[in-house]
Amino acid sequence: MTIATGEAETPRRSGPARSGTARRVWEHRADYAYVTPAILVMLIVIAYPIYYTIDLSFYTTPPSLQLKDKIFVGFDNYKAILTSDVFWRVTVNTLIWTLASTILSFTLGFATALALHADFIGRGALRAILIIPWVISAVAASYIWKWIYHSDFGVIGAVLVELGIADRPPNFIDSVGTVLPSLIVVNIWREFPFAMIMMTAGLQTVPDQLLRAAQVDGASAWQRFWHVTFPHLRNVSTVTVLLLAVANFNSFIIPWIMTGGGPSNASHIWITHIYELAFGRQRWGVASAYSVLLFIILMTLGYFYVRALAGGEKKGRGA
Amino acid sequence: MTRFTLGGGAILRGTVVFASIASLVSAPARAEPPVDLSKWSPEYVRSIAGTAEFDTAKECGKVTPLDYKGRLTFWYQGVFEGDPDLLRQYYKDFFETFRKTYPNIQLEDQALTYNDLLDKFRTALLGNAAPMAVRLQILGGTEFASKGYLQPLKPEDVGWSTEDFWPGAMKAVTWDGVTYGIPTNNETMAFIWNADIFKRAGLDPNKAPATWDDVVKYSKQIHDKLGIAGYGLVARKNAGNTPYRFMPQLWGYGGGVFDEASANPTYKQIQLNSAASKRALQASYDMYVRDKSVPVSALTNQQADNQPLFLGGQLGMMISHPSDYNVMLDLQKKATGTDKEKAQTVIDNMRYGLIPTGPDGKRAVVFGGSNIHILKPEYVDGGKVDEPAAKALICFWTSPEWSLKMAYAGSNPGNLNGFKTKWMKERLDSIKFLDVTTSMLPYGIPFPALPQSPEIMNIIVPDMLQNALTGAMTVDQAADDAAKKVEDLMGGGGL
Amino acid sequence: MSATAESAARRTRRGKPLDWWRWGGRIFLGFMLLYTAVPMIWMLLTSIKSGFAAMQLPPQWWPAEPTLASYQKLLDPQNSVGRDFLHFFWNSLVVSTLTTILGVIVAVPAAYAFSRFTFPGRNFLFFAVLLRNMFPAVIFLVPLFILMRWLGLVNTQGSLVLTYLTFGLPLAIWLLKGFFDNIPIQLEQAARIDGATRFQAFVRIVMPLSVPGIIATAIYSFIGAWNEYIYAYTFLNRNEQLTLPVGIQRFFSENTTDFPGLMAASFIMSVPVVVLFLVLQRYFVRALTEGAVKH
């Protein structure tokens, strides 16, 4: 994306032609007025907590002492985290959770957007219904699904037993092996409408002429999709996938309310684990160190995220 | 109910009358508790009920004058939609009466749920935004006392006496030799079962399982015969109920986290991986994994989730509050049509009994309840604590009359004099099974009075259960792992 | 594909060769519909059962005696439950609306600046704002609580509004920026030639054109604030201030679960945002189309 410049800028002042930063800042001071409120809000609400968290990560906070009497322990917290089995198990869980949720919600959302692309009676209503899971509160969704999955009187179990397919309700969230996939299903339920909307918007920008030209040239539906539609959607796909990934990474409510990270830490992801350490077990120091580790990882991912956005913008113009 | 002989009864009544006269005179310090704890039994409890009168306003007027002008902020574990209507009415009455008695004290009270209260209180303290007084569950207080947030406070400060309260309760509210609060109510749970299910499974519908091994056996029989769950196991982490239901089992077998079950605990030696503790854990394993006779959802269940199972006739027995009975009554009143009859059936079939013993006949239950504390001013929102106002409220809540009423449906008065009031008599007559739960009180063992207790009880113990029950570890490994975690925790380290 | 085969396919375009795609699509949509709708239908069914009926096993598919008692209880201002619930509803409305309005006021100028101006630090600030999205909300709970204490905002809804602002800003700024990028600068240039200041051009020319983008931003902020749970849970204590997601938790007391009430409350809680979204989704999609997708 090219930057809109030109007449919008304030005119250069006369005087020695210095290109010092200070001078440029001064010249553009009116511009800053536009962004100051946003920056101010972000600064207040982010800068202090980051500083506080990093500071606290070097201390330990035993339950017998007040927070202000914390004990300095240097890097012990970091060491404790990186050498604990639980951390690595939770890391694996987080990776599975994020990757599976993101890829599957994106795929389902994209497929749904494609299926809804052709107009038919009731399309509007269908689209409206399909969006609802995204809009509904995660808290409500968690309780509903927990009730549905219930190992003793959940709906799914009841149906299967009544149809004679199983003699006991299947165990979704009370078994170490099935809990994470079950939660992922709920997460996808909530997330796919977002992908659907984004891709719907994207599909509407695919130029009709190109598609018709391809049809005239004899391309099959699949070929049209793959060679015309898909390349156009690369930008919006990237953005969607990235937004989904970030949202899933940070998704707290579903795992926490449905299973609390259990059973046996099988559904703990980084974020719920940190919450449990901080609020459940009062290990503020360790939780802070954990958070700092997350910062670092996310910053790295963030760098690529942002580069992709910027790159995607440039590419969008070109394509 | 058995009848006592005239001789015994007369002596009993004589003692009680003497004690009640003494309490009316209300001398500041007494060597004898107002009721005889060594005679505790359902019959005794019935006999002392309705034998004394108390005038709350008069008593508390001596601590803080009734026209005192002040302001008080106060947090407590409140009653909400899921609680019995009767209890909610009493809570309303309490605050109304308090406000009428002390019209010039501006009371700002805040009700929170059991699970929220600890969270929010901790968070508030971090920001020095705590209330002046707080009523906390018994597990929570020690942590805050050890951190220096609470002011020393004992019953004498509000016009009662230490002997008016359960020794176990006073133990739980003491840290480093100083008392930091006053018990408001104490409860012990009992064992509840569905007589109809027992009958259909071929068990004696009127007898509770005598030992925990029997629980395992009965559970299996119920499941094998009827295909429903036998015992209501719970093993959810971060939920208060799990330790309340597992510790009686653990202590019954002779185990424990430390030596908290002994008369004078020192909390020095970890016993979580002793042979006795492992046997207790093995019993749970047998039920969940070997026999599959308990709800599969136990791992994510709180007691709130067992309720629907029991009330739906899908669960044979569980440890529970007497308040379950009241909840059922409420639901039955609100039900319509055939649901009403179904509800009535379940009510008619509910039975209460004492909690089973271990193989050696040891019977134990968690000595639960709540205590009321006053904060130090520097941690309070506003920087000041209105002590006379706080003491007025505390005197009110811990008085015989109100400590009973506020504990009407699911607990027992912290103030032993409450057992002698006429409302106690009413309560025993109108709420079935209360004599059973109150008679469990002497078997009550408080959680270790350590600041690490919340983590041990809410995280480490359920974790141990989950590790064993999911098969992630063997029973031995799970117990050893938990013992190690407790050791690390006490030593201040570990993740 | 050979010319003859293709012309044959063209002639039979309404026949077999395309049906595969279409029927596959239909089945797929059917499945998605089930996946989406069944949980919500179950929620509705549960909400019209009486307390006891909801706890029956095996579950009643259609309640034997359907009742609107749960809804009545929740919406009746005379009832203590209804009073509280309506209060939560109102609080959520206030917080979400404030967040939305403030969010728009803050995001629009910032997005405009990022779109039109060059000034030192522009790129850095832009990406810094976006980076906010990367940090899990949970991490900041305690320091933010302490910060709110400093600012004297503890136990006020202001603390929530301030926090929610930062959740919505990154996406809002990014969306709006894309939107502004697509508005031809010639329009503003024309206005400035006619004597308008930069700011006037912004307000009179650009803003009206960006209404879809602003609406999209508003929807996104509103829904986010309406459904947010964990900060509301941590920052608010007093009953009178609680927002809906936290208030609904009240239905879980220690000893029993009022499932019909919980489901009814969940339903009522979802209605405003669903309606809002359905009514305004057109704008949202347009904004995405023009703002995010076309560059």
Side-chain angles (χ1 to χ4, degrees), chain A residues 148-210:
Chain A
I148 291 178
Y149 273 148
H150 201 280
S151 306
D152 296 295
F153 48 51
V155 173
I156 301 181
V159 167
L160 291 179
V161 167
E162 227 160 280
L163 292 179
I165 300 178
D167 43 36
R168 282 195 83 133
N171 192 346
F172 289 108
I173 52 178
D174 287 302
S175 136
V176 174
T178 57
V179 63
L180 205 53
S182 307
L183 294 185
I184 291 176
V185 167
V186 181
N187 202 26
I188 294 173
W189 184 79
R190 280 211 78 231
E191 298 278 310
F192 89 86
F194 178 69
M196 181 180 82
I197 297 177
M198 293 288 276
M199 299 315 281
T200 302
L203 281 173
Q204 288 176 358
T205 69
V206 176
D208 256 339
Q209 305 95 308
L210 277 179

Side-chain angles (χ1 to χ4, degrees), chain B residues 135-155:
Chain B
R135 176 175 163 255
L136 278 180
Q137 53 266 54
I138 201 172
L139 183 56
T142 319
E143 173 191 334
F144 302 107
S146 71
K147 286 184 158 125
Y149 287 127
L150 306 176
Q151 290 189 29
L153 175 67
K154 50 192 196 308

Side-chain angles (χ1 to χ4, degrees), chain A residues 52 60 62-69 77 80-81 84 86-87 89 146-147 150-153 168-169 171 173-176 256-265 268 273 275-277 279-284 286 290, chain B residues 119 122-123 126 143 146-149 175 223 229 236-238 288 291-302 305 308-309 314 379 451-452 454-455 459-460 463 466-468 470 472-473 485 488-489 492-495:
Chain A
Y52 181 90
T60 183
S64 53
L65 292 178
Q66 286 188 33
L67 198 60
K68 66 180 197 323
D69 298 327
N77 289 333
I81 295 172
S84 97
V86 186
F87 174 69
R89 212 175 324 149
K146 188 162 176 229
W147 183 233
H150 201 280
S151 306
D152 296 295
F153 48 51
R168 282 195 83 133
N171 192 346
I173 52 178
D174 287 302
S175 136
V176 174
W256 184 253
I257 293 198
M258 288 185 75
T259 58
S264 247
N265 295 328
H268 254 315
H273 200 204
Y275 187 82
E276 182 187 88
L277 278 168
F279 288 85
R281 301 167 61 185
Q282 304 288 292
R283 310 289 192 93
W284 302 108
V286 174
Y290 210 137
Chain B
D119 269 347
R122 281 181 184 147
T123 316
L126 284 176
E143 173 191 334
S146 71
K147 286 184 158 125
Y149 287 127
W175 170 253
H223 180 254
R236 184 179 170 129
K237 212 158 62 163
N238 270 316
Y288 190 86
D291 303 336
K292 298 202 197 325
S293 63
V294 296
V296 180
S297 47
L299 299 181
T300 46
N301 270 353
Q302 305 188 65
D305 304 305
L309 286 177
Q314 294 290 323
Y379 305 107
Q452 292 87 351
E455 180 166 345
I459 308 264
I460 298 183
D463 239 352
Q466 287 195 355
N467 286 335
T470 57
M473 301 182 190
K485 282 191 186 137
D488 286 343
L489 176 60
L495 184 57

Side-chain angles (χ1 to χ4, degrees), chain B residues 75 80-83 110 112 114-116 119-120 123-124 126-129 241 304-305 307-309 311-312 314 321 323 327-328 331 336-339 342-343 346 381, chain C residues 50-53 55-58 60 64-65 73 80-81 142 145-146 149 154-155 232-240 249-259:
Chain B
W75 288 7
F80 298 100
E81 266 322 285
D83 288 295
Q110 174 63 49
L112 296 158
Y114 181 94
N115 288 324
D116 282 353
D119 269 347
K120 291 189 162 296
T123 316
L126 284 176
N128 289 345
N241 325 120
D305 304 305
Q307 274 249 329
L309 286 177
L311 299 171
Q314 294 290 323
H321 259 218
S323 63
V327 170
M328 268 310 296
L331 279 177
T336 50
T338 52
D339 288 349
K342 282 194 205 140
V346 177
D381 196 6
Chain C
S50 73
F52 193 59
M55 299 193 280
Q56 282 310 302
L57 270 160
Q60 296 176 348
E65 280 114 17
K73 201 166 56 163
S80 73
V81 175
V142 171
F145 180 80
I146 298 183
R149 177 105 186 106
V154 166
N155 273 331
Y233 173 80
T234 308
F235 283 177
L236 298 178
N237 280 324
R238 280 200 288 272
N239 232 22
E240 308 86 65
Q249 251 216 321
R250 267 190 70 211
F251 283 109
F252 279 96
S253 136
E254 185 57 6
N255 289 313
T256 194
T257 303
D258 177 13
F259 273 112

Side-chain angles (χ1 to χ4, degrees), chain C residues 143-221:
Chain C
L144 269 182
F145 180 80
I146 298 183
L147 181 73
M148 292 303 160
R149 177 105 186 106
W150 273 5
L151 295 174
L153 289 175
V154 166
N155 273 331
T156 67
Q157 289 163 346
S159 62
L160 285 187
V161 173
L162 188 57
T163 313
Y164 293 167
L165 267 181
T166 65
F167 292 172
L169 270 180
L171 189 69
I173 292 181
W174 181 71
L175 261 184
L176 284 170
K177 174 175 173 303
F179 216 83
F180 290 140
D181 287 343
N182 279 321
I183 295 177
I185 196 167
Q186 289 78 4
L187 294 174
E188 289 149 76
Q189 288 169 346
R192 299 209 62 215
I193 289 174
D194 284 346
T197 65
R198 195 171 62 172
F199 185 70
Q200 284 171 329
F202 167 56
V203 170
R204 290 208 224 112
I205 308 288
V206 177
M207 290 259 297
L209 285 176
S210 45
V211 163
I214 295 181
I215 293 184
T217 308
I219 296 174
Y220 194 79
S221 296

